[in-house]
Amino acid sequence: MTGRQRVGIHQALAGRTLKVWANHRSVHFLLDGHLVTTVPSRLRPEDIAYLTMRYGACPAGPEPAPAALPRARSGAAVLAAGDPVEVDRKVLRDGIVCLADGRYQAGFALAGRTITLRLDGHLMHAIADNALMGTWPCPVPADRLGQSHGARTAASSAPTPPLRAGAIRAQRKVHASGRFMINGQFVKLGPRHAGKIVTVVIEDTHYRILHGEDELAVRPRKNPGPITRLYVKGMGTQKDRQRSPDDNPSSKS
């Protein structure tokens, strides 16, 4: 591209013709309508004009994929606090995805497929076919999100898995320490969530913790026994429920 930007494409595509969509921020490469890769653009307006005059480039339609991350003059990605990013990774045959020098189990059922990992510095969501496949603590610090290979602007909020018919929910209030107890198990969310009334979706093997429509965390369920207290008391919560031992303050919480 006028000698100003070179992009490496996997050698398996040697000899194939790719379509290029470019502006001042992103360059997208597509093969038969499918996105191959997106890289940050280093093209200036005069470079794009040169492509039009020299190579017959024509005005493009809507951007075919989320834009690449904005870059400072130094080349470092510029992210506002709390902005999430997405990266694509191929799931290996043992169900593992590799990210930031770590290996994470995404599931054997996804082996051989390319999934999207959505990172926000707090949680990492695995997404396939626009469905949430798993959630883990994010292994990449917030100030390094833009350094992940292939990172791009997150297209939308993370999808939430549908609730099973008749799924049981419980309410809990987060202690000042950032924890709450459910069925004898302490769940830690962090002090920034202190005082929140959260909804715990009770699954067979794990808990999904929600605050409004936002999913805060997914935690393994260690105690499979029945949960008898579903609501907390207080303003804005269900009232007149029978008190249980979980209501008593604990020095450990």
Side-chain angles (χ1 to χ4, degrees), residues 81-129:
D83 278 359
V85 302
E86 292 178 348
V87 298
D88 292 332
R89 292 292 185 270
K90 186 171 183 178
V91 183
L92 305 179
R93 63 182 181 180
D94 54 1
I96 295 292
V97 291
C98 299
L99 177 71
D101 300 324
R103 293 165 59 87
Y104 305 91
Q105 179 64 247
F108 291 100
L110 298 172
R113 296 179 58 184
T114 298
I115 64 173
T116 297
L117 299 176
R118 188 178 190 275
L119 316 168
D120 62 10
H122 173 54
L123 296 176
M124 176 174 72
H125 303 285
I127 302 168
D129 297 330

Short mmCIF file of all heavy atoms in Angstrom, two decimals, residues 81-129:
data_model
loop_
_atom_site.label_atom_id
_atom_site.label_comp_id
_atom_site.label_asym_id
_atom_site.label_seq_id
_atom_site.Cartn_x
_atom_site.Cartn_y
_atom_site.Cartn_z
N ALA A 81 -10.82 4.22 30.19
CA ALA A 81 -10.97 3.34 31.34
C ALA A 81 -12.26 2.54 31.24
O ALA A 81 -13.33 3.11 31.00
CB ALA A 81 -10.96 4.15 32.63
N GLY A 82 -12.15 1.23 31.38
CA GLY A 82 -13.33 0.38 31.33
C GLY A 82 -13.72 -0.10 29.96
O GLY A 82 -14.63 -0.93 29.83
N ASP A 83 -13.05 0.40 28.90
CA ASP A 83 -13.39 -0.05 27.55
C ASP A 83 -12.94 -1.49 27.34
O ASP A 83 -11.76 -1.81 27.57
CB ASP A 83 -12.72 0.84 26.50
CG ASP A 83 -13.48 2.13 26.26
OD1 ASP A 83 -14.54 2.30 26.88
OD2 ASP A 83 -13.02 2.96 25.45
N PRO A 84 -13.82 -2.38 26.91
CA PRO A 84 -13.42 -3.77 26.64
C PRO A 84 -12.86 -3.92 25.24
O PRO A 84 -13.08 -3.07 24.37
CB PRO A 84 -14.74 -4.54 26.79
CG PRO A 84 -15.78 -3.55 26.34
CD PRO A 84 -15.28 -2.19 26.76
N VAL A 85 -12.14 -5.00 25.01
CA VAL A 85 -11.64 -5.33 23.68
C VAL A 85 -12.02 -6.77 23.37
O VAL A 85 -12.39 -7.54 24.27
CB VAL A 85 -10.10 -5.15 23.57
CG1 VAL A 85 -9.68 -3.74 23.91
CG2 VAL A 85 -9.37 -6.16 24.46
N GLU A 86 -11.93 -7.12 22.10
CA GLU A 86 -12.19 -8.49 21.67
C GLU A 86 -10.99 -9.00 20.89
O GLU A 86 -10.33 -8.24 20.17
CB GLU A 86 -13.44 -8.55 20.79
CG GLU A 86 -14.73 -8.26 21.53
CD GLU A 86 -15.95 -8.29 20.60
OE1 GLU A 86 -15.74 -8.31 19.36
OE2 GLU A 86 -17.08 -8.28 21.11
N VAL A 87 -10.71 -10.29 21.04
CA VAL A 87 -9.67 -10.95 20.25
C VAL A 87 -10.23 -12.29 19.79
O VAL A 87 -11.06 -12.89 20.48
CB VAL A 87 -8.36 -11.17 21.04
CG1 VAL A 87 -7.76 -9.85 21.46
CG2 VAL A 87 -8.60 -12.04 22.26
N ASP A 88 -9.81 -12.74 18.64
CA ASP A 88 -10.21 -14.05 18.13
C ASP A 88 -9.10 -15.06 18.39
O ASP A 88 -7.92 -14.74 18.18
CB ASP A 88 -10.52 -13.99 16.64
CG ASP A 88 -11.77 -13.18 16.34
OD1 ASP A 88 -12.66 -13.13 17.21
OD2 ASP A 88 -11.86 -12.59 15.24
N ARG A 89 -9.46 -16.23 18.83
CA ARG A 89 -8.49 -17.28 19.07
C ARG A 89 -9.07 -18.62 18.60
O ARG A 89 -10.26 -18.87 18.76
CB ARG A 89 -8.13 -17.39 20.55
CG ARG A 89 -7.34 -16.22 21.10
CD ARG A 89 -5.94 -16.16 20.50
NE ARG A 89 -5.13 -15.11 21.10
CZ ARG A 89 -5.05 -13.86 20.64
NH1 ARG A 89 -5.79 -13.52 19.58
NH2 ARG A 89 -4.28 -12.98 21.23
N LYS A 90 -8.21 -19.45 18.05
CA LYS A 90 -8.64 -20.79 17.64
C LYS A 90 -8.50 -21.74 18.82
O LYS A 90 -7.49 -21.75 19.51
CB LYS A 90 -7.80 -21.29 16.47
CG LYS A 90 -8.30 -22.62 15.90
CD LYS A 90 -7.60 -22.99 14.61
CE LYS A 90 -8.16 -24.29 14.03
NZ LYS A 90 -7.52 -24.64 12.74
N VAL A 91 -9.53 -22.54 19.06
CA VAL A 91 -9.51 -23.52 20.15
C VAL A 91 -8.74 -24.74 19.69
O VAL A 91 -9.04 -25.33 18.65
CB VAL A 91 -10.94 -23.91 20.55
CG1 VAL A 91 -10.90 -24.86 21.74
CG2 VAL A 91 -11.76 -22.67 20.90
N LEU A 92 -7.73 -25.13 20.45
CA LEU A 92 -6.90 -26.27 20.10
C LEU A 92 -7.67 -27.57 20.31
O LEU A 92 -8.76 -27.59 20.89
CB LEU A 92 -5.63 -26.26 20.94
CG LEU A 92 -4.79 -24.96 20.85
CD1 LEU A 92 -3.56 -25.05 21.74
CD2 LEU A 92 -4.41 -24.66 19.41
N ARG A 93 -7.11 -28.66 19.84
CA ARG A 93 -7.84 -29.93 19.87
C ARG A 93 -8.12 -30.43 21.27
O ARG A 93 -9.00 -31.26 21.48
CB ARG A 93 -7.06 -30.99 19.09
CG ARG A 93 -5.70 -31.34 19.67
CD ARG A 93 -5.00 -32.36 18.79
NE ARG A 93 -3.70 -32.73 19.33
CZ ARG A 93 -2.90 -33.61 18.73
NH1 ARG A 93 -3.28 -34.20 17.60
NH2 ARG A 93 -1.72 -33.90 19.26
N ASP A 94 -7.38 -29.92 22.28
CA ASP A 94 -7.65 -30.31 23.67
C ASP A 94 -8.60 -29.33 24.35
O ASP A 94 -8.76 -29.37 25.57
CB ASP A 94 -6.35 -30.44 24.46
CG ASP A 94 -5.48 -29.18 24.38
OD1 ASP A 94 -5.91 -28.21 23.72
OD2 ASP A 94 -4.39 -29.18 24.99
N GLY A 95 -9.24 -28.44 23.57
CA GLY A 95 -10.20 -27.50 24.14
C GLY A 95 -9.58 -26.27 24.75
O GLY A 95 -10.26 -25.52 25.47
N ILE A 96 -8.30 -26.03 24.48
CA ILE A 96 -7.55 -24.94 25.10
C ILE A 96 -7.44 -23.75 24.14
O ILE A 96 -7.31 -23.91 22.93
CB ILE A 96 -6.13 -25.41 25.49
CG1 ILE A 96 -6.20 -26.50 26.57
CG2 ILE A 96 -5.26 -24.25 25.94
CD1 ILE A 96 -6.68 -26.02 27.91
N VAL A 97 -7.51 -22.53 24.70
CA VAL A 97 -7.17 -21.33 23.95
C VAL A 97 -5.96 -20.69 24.62
O VAL A 97 -5.80 -20.77 25.84
CB VAL A 97 -8.34 -20.32 23.89
CG1 VAL A 97 -9.47 -20.84 23.04
CG2 VAL A 97 -8.85 -19.97 25.29
N CYS A 98 -5.12 -20.05 23.81
CA CYS A 98 -3.90 -19.42 24.32
C CYS A 98 -4.04 -17.90 24.25
O CYS A 98 -4.46 -17.35 23.23
CB CYS A 98 -2.69 -19.86 23.49
SG CYS A 98 -2.39 -21.64 23.53
N LEU A 99 -3.70 -17.24 25.36
CA LEU A 99 -3.79 -15.78 25.43
C LEU A 99 -2.82 -15.27 26.48
O LEU A 99 -2.80 -15.79 27.60
CB LEU A 99 -5.21 -15.35 25.77
CG LEU A 99 -5.44 -13.85 25.96
CD1 LEU A 99 -5.36 -13.14 24.60
CD2 LEU A 99 -6.78 -13.57 26.60
N ALA A 100 -2.05 -14.27 26.10
CA ALA A 100 -1.16 -13.59 27.05
C ALA A 100 -0.30 -14.58 27.83
O ALA A 100 -0.22 -14.53 29.06
CB ALA A 100 -1.97 -12.72 28.01
N ASP A 101 0.33 -15.50 27.12
CA ASP A 101 1.24 -16.49 27.71
C ASP A 101 0.52 -17.46 28.65
O ASP A 101 1.17 -18.16 29.43
CB ASP A 101 2.39 -15.81 28.47
CG ASP A 101 3.23 -14.92 27.57
OD1 ASP A 101 3.42 -15.30 26.39
OD2 ASP A 101 3.67 -13.85 28.03
N GLY A 102 -0.80 -17.52 28.58
CA GLY A 102 -1.55 -18.45 29.40
C GLY A 102 -2.40 -19.37 28.54
O GLY A 102 -2.64 -19.11 27.36
N ARG A 103 -2.85 -20.47 29.12
CA ARG A 103 -3.70 -21.45 28.43
C ARG A 103 -4.97 -21.62 29.25
O ARG A 103 -4.91 -21.81 30.47
CB ARG A 103 -2.96 -22.79 28.29
CG ARG A 103 -1.76 -22.72 27.35
CD ARG A 103 -0.85 -23.95 27.52
NE ARG A 103 -1.56 -25.20 27.24
CZ ARG A 103 -1.68 -25.73 26.02
NH1 ARG A 103 -1.13 -25.13 24.98
NH2 ARG A 103 -2.32 -26.87 25.85
N TYR A 104 -6.12 -21.59 28.57
CA TYR A 104 -7.40 -21.61 29.27
C TYR A 104 -8.34 -22.61 28.61
O TYR A 104 -8.40 -22.69 27.39
CB TYR A 104 -8.03 -20.20 29.27
CG TYR A 104 -7.09 -19.18 29.84
CD1 TYR A 104 -6.21 -18.47 29.02
CD2 TYR A 104 -7.03 -18.97 31.22
CE1 TYR A 104 -5.32 -17.56 29.55
CE2 TYR A 104 -6.14 -18.06 31.76
CZ TYR A 104 -5.28 -17.36 30.92
OH TYR A 104 -4.38 -16.47 31.45
N GLN A 105 -9.04 -23.37 29.44
CA GLN A 105 -9.95 -24.40 28.94
C GLN A 105 -11.24 -23.75 28.46
O GLN A 105 -11.98 -23.16 29.24
CB GLN A 105 -10.25 -25.41 30.05
CG GLN A 105 -11.19 -26.52 29.65
CD GLN A 105 -10.62 -27.42 28.57
OE1 GLN A 105 -11.13 -27.44 27.46
NE2 GLN A 105 -9.57 -28.16 28.89
N ALA A 106 -11.50 -23.84 27.16
CA ALA A 106 -12.74 -23.29 26.59
C ALA A 106 -13.78 -24.38 26.39
O ALA A 106 -14.96 -24.08 26.26
CB ALA A 106 -12.45 -22.59 25.26
N GLY A 107 -13.34 -25.64 26.33
CA GLY A 107 -14.28 -26.74 26.16
C GLY A 107 -13.95 -27.58 24.94
O GLY A 107 -13.66 -27.06 23.86
N PHE A 108 -13.99 -28.90 25.10
CA PHE A 108 -13.66 -29.81 24.00
C PHE A 108 -14.64 -29.66 22.84
O PHE A 108 -14.27 -29.89 21.68
CB PHE A 108 -13.67 -31.25 24.51
CG PHE A 108 -12.55 -31.58 25.45
CD1 PHE A 108 -12.75 -31.60 26.81
CD2 PHE A 108 -11.27 -31.83 24.97
CE1 PHE A 108 -11.72 -31.89 27.69
CE2 PHE A 108 -10.22 -32.12 25.84
CZ PHE A 108 -10.45 -32.14 27.20
N ALA A 109 -15.87 -29.28 23.13
CA ALA A 109 -16.87 -29.16 22.06
C ALA A 109 -16.52 -28.06 21.08
O ALA A 109 -17.02 -28.05 19.95
CB ALA A 109 -18.25 -28.90 22.67
N LEU A 110 -15.63 -27.12 21.47
CA LEU A 110 -15.26 -26.01 20.60
C LEU A 110 -13.95 -26.27 19.87
O LEU A 110 -13.48 -25.41 19.12
CB LEU A 110 -15.14 -24.71 21.42
CG LEU A 110 -16.42 -24.24 22.09
CD1 LEU A 110 -16.12 -23.06 23.02
CD2 LEU A 110 -17.46 -23.84 21.06
N ALA A 111 -13.35 -27.42 20.06
CA ALA A 111 -12.05 -27.73 19.45
C ALA A 111 -12.10 -27.53 17.94
O ALA A 111 -13.03 -27.96 17.26
CB ALA A 111 -11.64 -29.16 19.77
N GLY A 112 -11.09 -26.82 17.43
CA GLY A 112 -10.99 -26.57 16.00
C GLY A 112 -11.73 -25.33 15.53
O GLY A 112 -11.57 -24.92 14.38
N ARG A 113 -12.52 -24.71 16.40
CA ARG A 113 -13.29 -23.53 16.02
C ARG A 113 -12.58 -22.26 16.48
O ARG A 113 -11.78 -22.28 17.42
CB ARG A 113 -14.69 -23.57 16.63
CG ARG A 113 -15.54 -24.72 16.13
CD ARG A 113 -16.90 -24.72 16.79
NE ARG A 113 -17.62 -23.46 16.56
CZ ARG A 113 -18.80 -23.19 17.09
NH1 ARG A 113 -19.39 -24.07 17.88
NH2 ARG A 113 -19.39 -22.04 16.83
N THR A 114 -12.87 -21.17 15.82
CA THR A 114 -12.35 -19.87 16.23
C THR A 114 -13.43 -19.16 17.04
O THR A 114 -14.57 -19.02 16.58
CB THR A 114 -11.97 -19.01 15.02
OG1 THR A 114 -10.91 -19.68 14.30
CG2 THR A 114 -11.49 -17.64 15.45
N ILE A 115 -13.09 -18.77 18.25
CA ILE A 115 -14.05 -18.10 19.12
C ILE A 115 -13.56 -16.68 19.42
O ILE A 115 -12.41 -16.33 19.14
CB ILE A 115 -14.25 -18.87 20.45
CG1 ILE A 115 -12.94 -18.89 21.25
CG2 ILE A 115 -14.73 -20.28 20.18
CD1 ILE A 115 -13.11 -19.48 22.64
N THR A 116 -14.43 -15.88 19.98
CA THR A 116 -14.10 -14.51 20.37
C THR A 116 -13.95 -14.46 21.88
O THR A 116 -14.80 -14.95 22.62
CB THR A 116 -15.20 -13.53 19.93
OG1 THR A 116 -15.28 -13.54 18.50
CG2 THR A 116 -14.89 -12.11 20.39
N LEU A 117 -12.84 -13.88 22.34
CA LEU A 117 -12.63 -13.63 23.76
C LEU A 117 -12.85 -12.14 24.01
O LEU A 117 -12.21 -11.30 23.38
CB LEU A 117 -11.21 -14.03 24.18
CG LEU A 117 -10.84 -15.50 24.00
CD1 LEU A 117 -9.39 -15.73 24.37
CD2 LEU A 117 -11.75 -16.41 24.81
N ARG A 118 -13.77 -11.83 24.91
CA ARG A 118 -14.07 -10.44 25.25
C ARG A 118 -13.43 -10.13 26.59
O ARG A 118 -13.73 -10.78 27.59
CB ARG A 118 -15.58 -10.22 25.31
CG ARG A 118 -16.00 -8.75 25.48
CD ARG A 118 -17.51 -8.64 25.49
NE ARG A 118 -17.97 -7.28 25.43
CZ ARG A 118 -18.10 -6.46 26.49
NH1 ARG A 118 -17.81 -6.92 27.69
NH2 ARG A 118 -18.54 -5.23 26.33
N LEU A 119 -12.53 -9.14 26.62
CA LEU A 119 -11.73 -8.83 27.80
C LEU A 119 -12.06 -7.42 28.28
O LEU A 119 -12.07 -6.48 27.48
CB LEU A 119 -10.23 -8.91 27.48
CG LEU A 119 -9.76 -10.11 26.64
CD1 LEU A 119 -8.34 -9.89 26.17
CD2 LEU A 119 -9.84 -11.38 27.46
N ASP A 120 -12.30 -7.28 29.59
CA ASP A 120 -12.55 -5.94 30.11
C ASP A 120 -11.66 -5.59 31.30
O ASP A 120 -11.90 -4.61 31.99
CB ASP A 120 -14.03 -5.78 30.50
CG ASP A 120 -14.46 -6.74 31.60
OD1 ASP A 120 -13.59 -7.40 32.19
OD2 ASP A 120 -15.67 -6.81 31.86
N GLY A 121 -10.61 -6.41 31.52
CA GLY A 121 -9.72 -6.16 32.65
C GLY A 121 -10.21 -6.80 33.93
O GLY A 121 -9.45 -6.95 34.89
N HIS A 122 -11.48 -7.20 33.96
CA HIS A 122 -12.07 -7.84 35.14
C HIS A 122 -12.49 -9.27 34.82
O HIS A 122 -12.16 -10.20 35.55
CB HIS A 122 -13.27 -7.02 35.63
CG HIS A 122 -14.05 -7.67 36.73
ND1 HIS A 122 -13.46 -8.09 37.91
CD2 HIS A 122 -15.38 -7.98 36.83
CE1 HIS A 122 -14.39 -8.62 38.69
NE2 HIS A 122 -15.55 -8.58 38.07
N LEU A 123 -13.18 -9.45 33.69
CA LEU A 123 -13.64 -10.77 33.27
C LEU A 123 -13.22 -11.04 31.83
O LEU A 123 -13.04 -10.11 31.03
CB LEU A 123 -15.17 -10.86 33.37
CG LEU A 123 -15.79 -10.77 34.76
CD1 LEU A 123 -17.31 -10.77 34.66
CD2 LEU A 123 -15.32 -11.91 35.66
N MET A 124 -13.07 -12.31 31.50
CA MET A 124 -12.83 -12.76 30.13
C MET A 124 -13.99 -13.68 29.75
O MET A 124 -14.23 -14.69 30.42
CB MET A 124 -11.50 -13.51 30.02
CG MET A 124 -11.25 -14.08 28.62
SD MET A 124 -9.60 -14.81 28.44
CE MET A 124 -9.79 -16.32 29.41
N HIS A 125 -14.73 -13.31 28.70
CA HIS A 125 -15.86 -14.10 28.23
C HIS A 125 -15.47 -14.80 26.93
O HIS A 125 -14.88 -14.18 26.03
CB HIS A 125 -17.07 -13.20 27.95
CG HIS A 125 -17.52 -12.40 29.13
ND1 HIS A 125 -18.20 -12.94 30.19
CD2 HIS A 125 -17.37 -11.09 29.42
CE1 HIS A 125 -18.48 -12.01 31.08
NE2 HIS A 125 -17.98 -10.87 30.64
N ALA A 126 -15.80 -16.06 26.81
CA ALA A 126 -15.62 -16.81 25.57
C ALA A 126 -16.96 -16.83 24.85
O ALA A 126 -17.97 -17.26 25.42
CB ALA A 126 -15.13 -18.22 25.84
N ILE A 127 -16.97 -16.38 23.58
CA ILE A 127 -18.21 -16.24 22.82
C ILE A 127 -18.08 -17.02 21.51
O ILE A 127 -17.08 -16.88 20.80
CB ILE A 127 -18.52 -14.76 22.52
CG1 ILE A 127 -18.62 -13.97 23.85
CG2 ILE A 127 -19.80 -14.60 21.72
CD1 ILE A 127 -18.64 -12.47 23.66
N ALA A 128 -19.07 -17.82 21.20
CA ALA A 128 -19.13 -18.55 19.92
C ALA A 128 -20.57 -18.51 19.43
O ALA A 128 -21.49 -18.75 20.20
CB ALA A 128 -18.65 -19.99 20.09
N ASP A 129 -20.75 -18.19 18.15
CA ASP A 129 -22.09 -18.09 17.56
C ASP A 129 -22.97 -17.15 18.38
O ASP A 129 -24.16 -17.40 18.60
CB ASP A 129 -22.75 -19.47 17.46
CG ASP A 129 -21.99 -20.41 16.53
OD1 ASP A 129 -21.37 -19.89 15.58
OD2 ASP A 129 -21.99 -21.62 16.77
#
